[in-house]
Amino acid sequence: MANKIMKCSVVVVGIVCTSFVYLIENLGNILQIAGSIGGVTYGAMVGLFTFGMVFPRGNSKGALAGSIASMLVMSWVVFGTQRAIAVGDLKHPALPTRIDGCPSNVTIDTHDKSVHSSGQVFILYRISFVYYTAMGTLIMLIVGTIVSLLTEAPDIDKLNPTLFTPFMRKYIEKKRRKKATGPVVHELLEKIHDID
């Protein structure tokens, strides 16, 4: 029985891999596809780690909402871009790789010829796949921050300062001192510290 399952799984994997060849042939450059697909998740991951290290007001609801929003928006952008490429509305022409007949003194055309698109292509679909991770990170941070500010703040005493960046550690310790001593005592300590 195990032998038959192994043979069937090899056949299924072979069919899937062969069908991907035809799919990728119509989608274009493999580097662009790999970068685009990676950009869907990389942006959410980078944003999530940055959110956790820099924003002590952040909570799990904000992190979850930001990550999901980042992956959904970036999936939409990647799918729309690949669809526009497959239909022919968006073209990335190959750059020349030969130097035959190239004169030594040439005036270079400064117009950007990297992307040719019809006027119907949505503006986000024309953005290079290289920026997908940055876009995903930005979306995650914005949505995560907004959701965290609208929901309950985490208890400052339960936060571990070593998990934050150095400038945030000082902020957390300052907030803890202020909470522990009260506002009047905290103002006196600040004045004493300023005198020193």
Side-chain angles (χ1 to χ4, degrees), residues 7 19 26 38 41 44 59 62 64-65 73 87-88 113 132-133 146 166 179 189:
K7 288 179 181 178
S19 63
N26 292 327
T41 56
N59 55 26
L64 181 64
V73 170
V87 170
K113 296 181 180 178
Y132 286 174
T133 301
I146 291 171
K179 183 179 177 184
L189 289 174

Side-chain angles (χ1 to χ4, degrees), residues 174-191:
K174 184 177 178 182
K175 286 289 240 184
R176 283 183 177 172
R177 282 195 307 268
K178 185 175 181 180
K179 183 179 177 184
T181 59
V184 176
V185 177
H186 180 70
E187 287 178 20
L188 289 172
L189 289 174
E190 287 289 323
K191 288 179 182 176

Side-chain angles (χ1 to χ4, degrees), residues 105-170:
N105 187 4
V106 163
T107 303
I108 298 174
D109 186 12
T110 58
H111 292 84
D112 181 23
K113 296 181 180 178
S114 59
V115 177
H116 296 289
S117 65
S118 64
Q120 306 163 7
V121 178
F122 185 58
I123 191 165
L124 288 179
Y125 299 162
R126 289 183 256 163
I127 294 176
S128 173
F129 72 94
V130 177
Y131 299 113
Y132 286 174
T133 301
M135 284 174 54
T137 301
L138 191 62
I139 292 167
M140 191 281 151
L141 291 174
I142 291 170
V143 173
T145 301
I146 291 171
V147 171
S148 292
L149 290 173
L150 295 175
T151 55
E152 183 179 350
D155 187 13
I156 196 85
D157 294 327
K158 293 182 180 179
L159 296 178
N160 185 354
T162 59
L163 299 177
F164 293 91
T165 58
F167 67 91
M168 278 295 135
R169 288 180 196 158
K170 293 176 185 175

